[in-house]
Short mmCIF file of all heavy atoms in Angstrom, two decimals:
data_model
loop_
_atom_site.label_atom_id
_atom_site.label_comp_id
_atom_site.label_asym_id
_atom_site.label_seq_id
_atom_site.Cartn_x
_atom_site.Cartn_y
_atom_site.Cartn_z
N PRO B 11 15.96 -6.96 19.71
CA PRO B 11 16.64 -5.71 20.10
C PRO B 11 15.66 -4.77 20.81
O PRO B 11 14.45 -4.84 20.57
CB PRO B 11 17.11 -5.13 18.78
CG PRO B 11 16.41 -5.88 17.71
CD PRO B 11 15.95 -7.16 18.28
N PRO B 12 16.19 -3.92 21.68
CA PRO B 12 15.36 -3.02 22.49
C PRO B 12 14.36 -2.20 21.68
O PRO B 12 13.21 -2.07 22.08
CB PRO B 12 16.40 -2.11 23.17
CG PRO B 12 17.62 -2.95 23.24
CD PRO B 12 17.60 -3.81 22.02
N SER B 13 14.78 -1.67 20.52
CA SER B 13 13.86 -0.81 19.76
C SER B 13 12.62 -1.59 19.36
O SER B 13 11.50 -1.09 19.47
CB SER B 13 14.56 -0.24 18.53
OG SER B 13 15.05 -1.28 17.71
N ARG B 14 12.80 -2.84 18.93
CA ARG B 14 11.64 -3.63 18.54
C ARG B 14 10.79 -4.01 19.75
O ARG B 14 9.56 -4.09 19.66
CB ARG B 14 12.09 -4.91 17.82
CG ARG B 14 12.64 -4.62 16.44
CD ARG B 14 13.16 -5.90 15.80
NE ARG B 14 14.01 -5.62 14.67
CZ ARG B 14 13.58 -5.63 13.40
NH1 ARG B 14 12.33 -5.93 13.15
NH2 ARG B 14 14.39 -5.35 12.43
N ALA B 48 18.80 4.81 25.01
CA ALA B 48 19.10 6.13 24.47
C ALA B 48 17.86 6.66 23.73
O ALA B 48 16.98 5.89 23.33
CB ALA B 48 20.28 6.07 23.52
N ARG B 49 17.81 7.96 23.56
CA ARG B 49 16.64 8.54 22.90
C ARG B 49 16.49 7.97 21.50
O ARG B 49 15.38 7.69 21.04
CB ARG B 49 16.76 10.06 22.82
CG ARG B 49 15.50 10.69 22.24
CD ARG B 49 15.67 12.17 21.94
NE ARG B 49 14.76 12.56 20.88
CZ ARG B 49 14.92 13.62 20.12
NH1 ARG B 49 15.98 14.39 20.30
NH2 ARG B 49 14.06 13.89 19.18
N ASN B 50 17.59 7.80 20.78
CA ASN B 50 17.52 7.29 19.42
C ASN B 50 16.88 5.90 19.37
O ASN B 50 16.22 5.56 18.39
CB ASN B 50 18.91 7.21 18.81
CG ASN B 50 19.31 8.53 18.17
OD1 ASN B 50 18.49 9.45 18.09
ND2 ASN B 50 20.55 8.63 17.73
N THR B 51 17.06 5.14 20.41
CA THR B 51 16.48 3.80 20.44
C THR B 51 14.96 3.89 20.59
O THR B 51 14.21 3.21 19.88
CB THR B 51 17.09 2.99 21.59
OG1 THR B 51 18.51 2.96 21.42
CG2 THR B 51 16.55 1.57 21.61
N HIS B 69 5.30 17.31 14.57
CA HIS B 69 6.47 18.09 14.99
C HIS B 69 6.08 19.14 16.04
O HIS B 69 5.18 19.93 15.82
CB HIS B 69 7.07 18.78 13.76
CG HIS B 69 8.46 19.30 13.99
ND1 HIS B 69 9.27 19.72 12.96
CD2 HIS B 69 9.17 19.45 15.11
CE1 HIS B 69 10.43 20.11 13.46
NE2 HIS B 69 10.40 19.96 14.76
N GLY B 70 6.77 19.08 17.15
CA GLY B 70 6.54 20.07 18.20
C GLY B 70 5.40 19.71 19.14
O GLY B 70 5.22 20.34 20.18
N LYS B 71 4.59 18.72 18.74
CA LYS B 71 3.43 18.37 19.56
C LYS B 71 3.57 17.00 20.23
O LYS B 71 3.34 16.87 21.43
CB LYS B 71 2.16 18.40 18.71
CG LYS B 71 1.85 19.79 18.16
CD LYS B 71 0.74 19.78 17.15
CE LYS B 71 -0.63 19.84 17.76
NZ LYS B 71 -1.67 20.09 16.72
P DT D 7 17.78 -3.49 13.05
OP1 DT D 7 16.75 -4.36 13.64
OP2 DT D 7 17.43 -2.32 12.23
"O5'" DT D 7 18.69 -2.97 14.23
"C5'" DT D 7 19.12 -3.88 15.23
"C4'" DT D 7 20.01 -3.17 16.20
"O4'" DT D 7 21.13 -2.60 15.51
"C3'" DT D 7 19.35 -1.99 16.92
"O3'" DT D 7 19.05 -2.42 18.23
"C2'" DT D 7 20.41 -0.88 16.90
"C1'" DT D 7 21.65 -1.59 16.34
N1 DT D 7 22.57 -0.75 15.55
C2 DT D 7 23.80 -0.45 16.05
O2 DT D 7 24.18 -0.83 17.12
N3 DT D 7 24.58 0.34 15.24
C4 DT D 7 24.24 0.84 14.00
O4 DT D 7 25.01 1.53 13.35
C5 DT D 7 22.93 0.48 13.52
C7 DT D 7 22.44 0.95 12.18
C6 DT D 7 22.14 -0.30 14.31
P DC D 8 18.29 -1.40 19.20
OP1 DC D 8 17.65 -2.22 20.24
OP2 DC D 8 17.49 -0.45 18.39
"O5'" DC D 8 19.48 -0.60 19.86
"C5'" DC D 8 20.43 -1.31 20.64
"C4'" DC D 8 21.56 -0.38 21.02
"O4'" DC D 8 22.24 0.04 19.83
"C3'" DC D 8 21.09 0.91 21.69
"O3'" DC D 8 21.29 0.79 23.09
"C2'" DC D 8 22.00 1.99 21.08
"C1'" DC D 8 22.93 1.23 20.15
N1 DC D 8 23.22 1.95 18.87
C2 DC D 8 24.46 2.56 18.72
O2 DC D 8 25.29 2.49 19.63
N3 DC D 8 24.73 3.21 17.55
C4 DC D 8 23.81 3.26 16.59
N4 DC D 8 24.12 3.90 15.46
C5 DC D 8 22.53 2.65 16.73
C6 DC D 8 22.28 2.01 17.89
P DT D 9 20.89 2.04 24.04
OP1 DT D 9 20.75 1.47 25.37
OP2 DT D 9 19.81 2.81 23.41
"O5'" DT D 9 22.19 2.95 24.01
"C5'" DT D 9 23.46 2.37 24.32
"C4'" DT D 9 24.51 3.45 24.32
"O4'" DT D 9 24.84 3.82 22.96
"C3'" DT D 9 24.10 4.74 25.03
"O3'" DT D 9 25.08 5.07 26.00
"C2'" DT D 9 24.03 5.79 23.92
"C1'" DT D 9 24.96 5.21 22.86
N1 DT D 9 24.62 5.58 21.47
C2 DT D 9 25.57 6.18 20.68
O2 DT D 9 26.69 6.45 21.07
N3 DT D 9 25.16 6.47 19.40
C4 DT D 9 23.92 6.23 18.86
O4 DT D 9 23.66 6.53 17.70
C5 DT D 9 22.97 5.60 19.74
C7 DT D 9 21.59 5.30 19.26
C6 DT D 9 23.36 5.30 21.00
P DA D 10 24.67 5.76 27.36
OP1 DA D 10 25.52 5.15 28.38
OP2 DA D 10 23.20 5.80 27.51
"O5'" DA D 10 25.14 7.25 27.13
"C5'" DA D 10 26.49 7.49 26.72
"C4'" DA D 10 26.59 8.90 26.20
"O4'" DA D 10 26.21 8.92 24.80
"C3'" DA D 10 25.66 9.90 26.91
"O3'" DA D 10 26.44 11.03 27.28
"C2'" DA D 10 24.60 10.21 25.87
"C1'" DA D 10 25.38 10.04 24.57
N9 DA D 10 24.57 9.77 23.39
C8 DA D 10 23.37 9.13 23.33
N7 DA D 10 22.87 9.04 22.12
C5 DA D 10 23.81 9.67 21.32
C6 DA D 10 23.87 9.92 19.93
N6 DA D 10 22.94 9.54 19.07
N1 DA D 10 24.96 10.57 19.47
C2 DA D 10 25.90 10.97 20.33
N3 DA D 10 25.96 10.79 21.66
C4 DA D 10 24.87 10.13 22.09
P DG D 11 25.86 12.15 28.22
OP1 DG D 11 26.88 12.36 29.26
OP2 DG D 11 24.46 11.85 28.59
"O5'" DG D 11 25.85 13.42 27.26
"C5'" DG D 11 27.03 13.70 26.55
"C4'" DG D 11 26.69 14.24 25.19
"O4'" DG D 11 25.87 13.31 24.46
"C3'" DG D 11 25.87 15.53 25.15
"O3'" DG D 11 26.74 16.65 25.23
"C2'" DG D 11 25.18 15.44 23.79
"C1'" DG D 11 25.42 14.02 23.33
N9 DG D 11 24.26 13.43 22.71
C8 DG D 11 23.26 12.69 23.31
N7 DG D 11 22.35 12.30 22.46
C5 DG D 11 22.76 12.80 21.24
C6 DG D 11 22.18 12.69 19.95
O6 DG D 11 21.15 12.12 19.64
N1 DG D 11 22.95 13.33 18.99
C2 DG D 11 24.12 14.00 19.24
N2 DG D 11 24.72 14.56 18.20
N3 DG D 11 24.68 14.10 20.43
C4 DG D 11 23.95 13.49 21.38
P DA D 12 26.12 18.12 25.49
OP1 DA D 12 27.23 18.96 25.99
OP2 DA D 12 24.86 17.97 26.24
"O5'" DA D 12 25.74 18.62 24.02
"C5'" DA D 12 26.74 18.61 23.01
"C4'" DA D 12 26.09 18.88 21.67
"O4'" DA D 12 25.22 17.78 21.36
"C3'" DA D 12 25.18 20.11 21.67
"O3'" DA D 12 25.90 21.21 21.13
"C2'" DA D 12 24.00 19.70 20.77
"C1'" DA D 12 24.25 18.24 20.44
N9 DA D 12 23.06 17.39 20.57
C8 DA D 12 22.54 16.85 21.71
N7 DA D 12 21.48 16.11 21.52
C5 DA D 12 21.28 16.17 20.16
C6 DA D 12 20.31 15.60 19.31
N6 DA D 12 19.32 14.81 19.76
N1 DA D 12 20.41 15.86 17.99
C2 DA D 12 21.40 16.63 17.55
N3 DA D 12 22.37 17.21 18.25
C4 DA D 12 22.25 16.94 19.55
P DC D 13 25.28 22.68 21.38
OP1 DC D 13 26.41 23.61 21.22
OP2 DC D 13 24.47 22.70 22.61
"O5'" DC D 13 24.29 22.88 20.15
"C5'" DC D 13 24.81 22.81 18.82
"C4'" DC D 13 23.66 22.71 17.85
"O4'" DC D 13 22.92 21.50 18.10
"C3'" DC D 13 22.64 23.85 17.97
"O3'" DC D 13 22.54 24.49 16.70
"C2'" DC D 13 21.35 23.16 18.37
"C1'" DC D 13 21.57 21.75 17.86
N1 DC D 13 20.75 20.74 18.57
C2 DC D 13 19.85 19.94 17.84
O2 DC D 13 19.78 20.10 16.61
N3 DC D 13 19.08 19.04 18.49
C4 DC D 13 19.19 18.91 19.81
N4 DC D 13 18.42 18.01 20.41
C5 DC D 13 20.09 19.72 20.57
C6 DC D 13 20.84 20.60 19.91
P DA D 15 16.53 25.91 12.31
OP1 DA D 15 16.62 26.09 10.83
OP2 DA D 15 16.56 27.06 13.24
"O5'" DA D 15 15.21 25.09 12.60
"C5'" DA D 15 14.92 23.94 11.81
"C4'" DA D 15 13.47 23.55 12.05
"O4'" DA D 15 13.36 22.99 13.38
"C3'" DA D 15 12.49 24.70 11.99
"O3'" DA D 15 11.29 24.20 11.43
"C2'" DA D 15 12.31 25.09 13.45
"C1'" DA D 15 12.41 23.74 14.13
N9 DA D 15 12.91 23.74 15.51
C8 DA D 15 13.91 24.52 16.04
N7 DA D 15 14.14 24.27 17.31
C5 DA D 15 13.24 23.26 17.62
C6 DA D 15 12.97 22.56 18.81
N6 DA D 15 13.62 22.76 19.95
N1 DA D 15 12.01 21.62 18.77
C2 DA D 15 11.36 21.41 17.62
N3 DA D 15 11.52 22.01 16.44
C4 DA D 15 12.48 22.93 16.52
P DC D 16 10.08 25.18 11.11
OP1 DC D 16 9.60 24.79 9.77
OP2 DC D 16 10.47 26.56 11.45
"O5'" DC D 16 8.99 24.71 12.16
"C5'" DC D 16 8.54 23.35 12.14
"C4'" DC D 16 7.75 23.10 13.39
"O4'" DC D 16 8.62 23.22 14.53
"C3'" DC D 16 6.61 24.09 13.64
"O3'" DC D 16 5.40 23.36 13.63
"C2'" DC D 16 6.91 24.72 14.99
"C1'" DC D 16 7.88 23.72 15.61
N1 DC D 16 8.83 24.29 16.60
C2 DC D 16 8.79 23.85 17.93
O2 DC D 16 7.94 23.01 18.25
N3 DC D 16 9.68 24.36 18.83
C4 DC D 16 10.58 25.26 18.43
N4 DC D 16 11.43 25.71 19.36
C5 DC D 16 10.64 25.71 17.09
C6 DC D 16 9.76 25.22 16.21
P DT D 17 3.98 24.07 13.93
OP1 DT D 17 2.97 23.23 13.27
OP2 DT D 17 4.14 25.50 13.63
"O5'" DT D 17 3.79 23.93 15.50
"C5'" DT D 17 3.61 22.64 16.07
"C4'" DT D 17 3.27 22.80 17.55
"O4'" DT D 17 4.42 23.27 18.25
"C3'" DT D 17 2.14 23.78 17.83
"O3'" DT D 17 1.13 23.08 18.50
"C2'" DT D 17 2.78 24.88 18.68
"C1'" DT D 17 4.04 24.21 19.22
N1 DT D 17 5.24 25.09 19.41
C2 DT D 17 5.91 25.04 20.59
O2 DT D 17 5.58 24.34 21.52
N3 DT D 17 7.02 25.86 20.67
C4 DT D 17 7.49 26.70 19.68
O4 DT D 17 8.49 27.39 19.86
C5 DT D 17 6.73 26.70 18.45
C7 DT D 17 7.15 27.58 17.32
C6 DT D 17 5.65 25.91 18.36
P DA D 18 -0.20 23.83 18.88
OP1 DA D 18 -1.22 22.76 18.94
OP2 DA D 18 -0.41 25.01 18.04
"O5'" DA D 18 0.08 24.34 20.36
"C5'" DA D 18 0.12 23.41 21.44
"C4'" DA D 18 0.69 24.12 22.63
"O4'" DA D 18 1.91 24.78 22.23
"C3'" DA D 18 -0.21 25.22 23.20
"O3'" DA D 18 -0.73 24.78 24.45
"C2'" DA D 18 0.71 26.44 23.35
"C1'" DA D 18 2.09 25.87 23.09
N9 DA D 18 3.00 26.80 22.40
C8 DA D 18 2.87 27.34 21.16
N7 DA D 18 3.87 28.12 20.81
C5 DA D 18 4.71 28.08 21.93
C6 DA D 18 5.94 28.70 22.22
N6 DA D 18 6.56 29.51 21.37
N1 DA D 18 6.50 28.44 23.43
C2 DA D 18 5.87 27.61 24.28
N3 DA D 18 4.71 26.98 24.12
C4 DA D 18 4.18 27.26 22.92
#
Side-chain angles (χ1 to χ4, degrees):
Chain B
S13 58
R14 288 176 196 263
R49 185 189 154 202
N50 273 354
T51 303
H69 196 168
K71 297 171 85 169

